[in-house]
Amino acid sequence: MAFSRVFSDPPPKSIFKTFAVMLLSILASLYFLHCLTERCGTCIPTEKRDAGPVEGFYASELKNFESLRRKRLLQKWTAMRQHSLIHRLESVRKEDLPDGRVFQARAKMSNSLDVDREMGESYFDTGKLSALGEGSKKLPQAIIIGVKKGGTRALLEFLRVHPDIRAVGAEPHFFDRNYDNGMDWYRDLMPKTLEGQITMEKTPSYFVTREAPSRIYAMSRDTKLIVVVRDPVTRAISDYTQTLSKKPDIPTFESLTFKNRTTGLIDTSWSAIQIGIYAKHLDNWLQFFPMSQILFVSGERLISDPAGELGRVQDFLGLKRIITDKHFYFNQTKGFPCLKKAEGSSKPHCLGKTKGRTHPNINPEVVQRLRDFYRPFNMKFYQMTGRKFGWDD
């Protein structure tokens, strides 16, 4: 009897059954609520519906905002890299490297701008930025073919301000020294361009290279050619000055000018003299290209009136006149115009220290003898181009 008082009878089975049913009901209710909040992928399927006008608007605006944000970050990335590489490009001089490596070094650093841009695209986007339309590499539609020490570097730097011009910074020397490398090699050096943009390069030695006209014609008979010309006497002295800066022990300008100083016979085999016989070289180009596809830019006017000469170039290339007086200021120290804002930078930019060197004093009699020598060639050149450059005034 005492034992039965300590241990009561077990509860009936109906109580356990009722408790189990209640527990299952609670769990089922919680599971159903969880599915209603669309947090369960195995729930009862619900009909998908299109985003309403308001939802679609915000989704579209968010997408546009993200695209704009990526573009702005990419522009900042590119500008920063360009500013850094400009100084590195200018530091590569022929006196620092063997001739065979100068172009490779400059081209590698110049092309790294495009590489860095592509890296920036990958960095600033979780996907691919192909939608931004980075363009493709094309063979140049316009080439600055000459002349050495005429002002080709200044012209190229000024033109690169135009948004519809993309140009190689280094001189490819494809049609004179590297032609055996093939067109694919040449195309790969070019910057990427979008539809409507013009690809350009400049190599001043093309103008005096006999094979260059036929080779460029074989690439494209529609290629537009630009020649920057300068008073051939001044150009020859500038050419000599550049060589003198690299080889201080070379003979004097006077001794190199004449085959025989006594007879006064000019040595036309010397490249500094030979380049300035513009009419002779132009004859070679007119065998392949009509005069309408060749524009002659005055090196003197490129200094005195850069906007005017740039206007003629933009017209020749079929571009809107975007580069105007507002892009330039005159540097009194260097003696030539500089850009208020260079491509990819918000800072003023002048050409490097190798531009605007002080010329050595040349015997006035030698200068006059050269002017007499060039005069008939200049007159013929004026007739061929239909423009007087005023070198004999």
Side-chain angles (χ1 to χ4, degrees), residues 74-85:
L74 184 57
Q75 289 171 351
K76 290 181 179 179
W77 169 281
T78 305
M80 178 184 68
R81 291 296 297 151
Q82 284 177 330
H83 181 69
S84 173
L85 283 171

Side-chain angles (χ1 to χ4, degrees), residues 166-323:
R166 296 296 310 281
V168 184
E171 296 175 4
H173 283 281
F174 177 64
F175 295 105
D176 57 354
R177 303 177 191 170
N178 299 303
Y179 196 64
D180 290 340
N181 289 340
M183 285 292 174
D184 289 340
W185 178 89
Y186 184 49
R187 181 188 288 107
D188 192 53
L189 297 177
M190 299 299 125
K192 291 183 178 180
T193 52
L194 302 175
E195 188 67 29
Q197 288 184 317
I198 293 176
T199 303
M200 289 188 68
E201 70 114 320
K202 78 106 176 171
T203 304
S205 55
Y206 289 163
F207 188 63
V208 297
T209 301
R210 187 159 191 82
E211 300 81 12
S214 60
R215 290 172 175 177
I216 295 177
Y217 183 84
M219 176 188 71
S220 173
R221 63 182 64 185
D222 298 322
T223 306
K224 293 187 176 182
L225 310 171
I226 302 174
V227 188
V228 187
V229 289
R230 181 184 184 186
D231 181 338
V233 177
T234 309
R235 197 222 65 81
I237 298 173
S238 180
D239 198 336
Y240 172 80
T241 304
Q242 183 181 52
T243 305
L244 183 65
S245 69
K246 301 174 185 178
K247 302 176 181 178
D249 57 342
I250 62 171
T252 64
F253 180 86
E254 289 84 354
S255 61
L256 290 170
T257 299
F258 300 100
K259 283 186 177 180
N260 188 315
R261 183 69 180 269
T262 304
T263 61
L265 184 63
I266 302 294
D267 187 359
T268 56
S269 65
W270 184 30
S271 62
I273 300 296
Q274 197 258 351
I275 291 173
I277 309 175
Y278 303 139
K280 174 185 174 182
H281 305 302
L282 180 56
D283 269 332
N284 189 32
W285 286 91
L286 293 178
Q287 303 301 314
F288 296 89
F289 293 93
M291 191 66 78
S292 60
Q293 279 178 237
I294 308 175
L295 178 70
F296 296 91
V297 175
S298 168
E300 287 82 11
R301 287 185 60 81
L302 199 57
I303 295 174
S304 63
D305 181 22
E309 287 300 284
L310 266 293
R312 294 179 62 248
V313 177
Q314 290 171 96
D315 292 345
F316 175 70
L317 296 175
L319 300 175
K320 183 179 178 181
R321 286 198 177 194
I322 291 179
I323 307 172

Side-chain angles (χ1 to χ4, degrees), residues 323-374:
I323 307 172
T324 61
D325 283 322
K326 67 181 181 181
H327 289 89
F328 302 98
Y329 74 95
F330 193 81
N331 186 303
Q332 297 291 344
T333 303
K334 286 184 168 292
F336 52 75
C338 300
L339 289 168
K340 291 181 179 178
K341 292 182 181 180
E343 180 196 27
S345 174
S346 60
K347 297 182 179 180
H349 173 65
C350 286
L351 299 180
K353 61 182 180 181
T354 61
K355 307 300 180 182
R357 292 188 183 99
T358 301
H359 292 178
N361 293 322
I362 307 298
N363 188 318
E365 293 181 5
V366 175
V367 173
Q368 186 57 51
R369 180 66 185 88
L370 277 176
R371 293 207 177 280
D372 295 338
F373 167 78
Y374 279 121

Side-chain angles (χ1 to χ4, degrees), residues 41-58:
T42 59
C43 301
I44 300 174
T46 58
E47 181 181 359
K48 291 184 178 180
R49 58 188 178 85
D50 296 331
V54 175
E55 291 174 327
F57 171 78
Y58 283 113

Side-chain angles (χ1 to χ4, degrees), residues 3-4 6-16:
F3 182 81
S4 63
V6 175
F7 296 92
S8 59
D9 294 333
K13 292 182 178 181
S14 60
I15 295 176
F16 287 105

